[in-house]
Amino acid sequence: MLLTVVGIGVAIFVGFNIGGSSTGVAFGPAVGSRLVRKTTAGALFVAFGFIGAWTVGRNVIATMSSSIVPATQFTPAASVAVLFFTGASLFVSNLYGVPASTSMTAVGAIVGLGLASDTLN
């Protein structure tokens, strides 16, 4: 139960930092030029995020959990840790105003799991 609550909190933390890292870069010019409103940009980001996760997310998960680190390493606690370190990396980059790729930080966190568990392929 505690891991579930922590996992939800970490997921919110990651989502907040993805929004700060990616949404501004993707929609900043359109919102700044008043082509779309902030709420429209947010809704588009959420919609296309879900569409991308639904259509190609399975392939990404399959690659990440077999080609980099074995799927057996992704216990619930390890998965929450990977999410946390992805969010922490994005948080630090957001604080310093340095653009960071969400996918690269996620791969980096998974590589960290592989190094920590000595199962990195």
Side-chain angles (χ1 to χ4, degrees):
M1 176 66 177
L2 178 63
L3 186 60
T4 302
V5 172
V6 171
I8 290 170
V10 169
I12 291 169
F13 174 68
V14 171
F16 179 80
N17 283 292
I18 288 172
S21 173
S22 302
T23 308
V25 175
F27 287 106
V31 171
S33 65
R34 297 191 176 128
L35 187 62
V36 296
R37 291 178 296 181
K38 286 181 187 179
T39 54
T40 305
L44 286 170
F45 193 81
V46 168
F48 284 107
F50 277 115
I51 290 169
W54 182 258
T55 56
V56 296
R58 295 176 203 130
N59 298 335
V60 173
I61 296 299
T63 299
M64 297 289 229
S65 66
S66 64
S67 298
I68 299 175
V69 175
T72 56
Q73 293 301 316
F74 286 95
T75 63
S79 297
V80 169
V82 165
L83 267 178
F84 173 76
F85 285 111
T86 299
S89 298
L90 290 172
F91 179 71
V92 170
S93 71
N94 288 340
L95 281 178
Y96 287 100
V98 178
S101 166
T102 303
S103 58
M104 291 234 181
T105 56
V107 169
I110 291 170
V111 166
L113 172 64
L115 289 172
S117 62
D118 199 30
T119 58
L120 181 64
N121 184 1

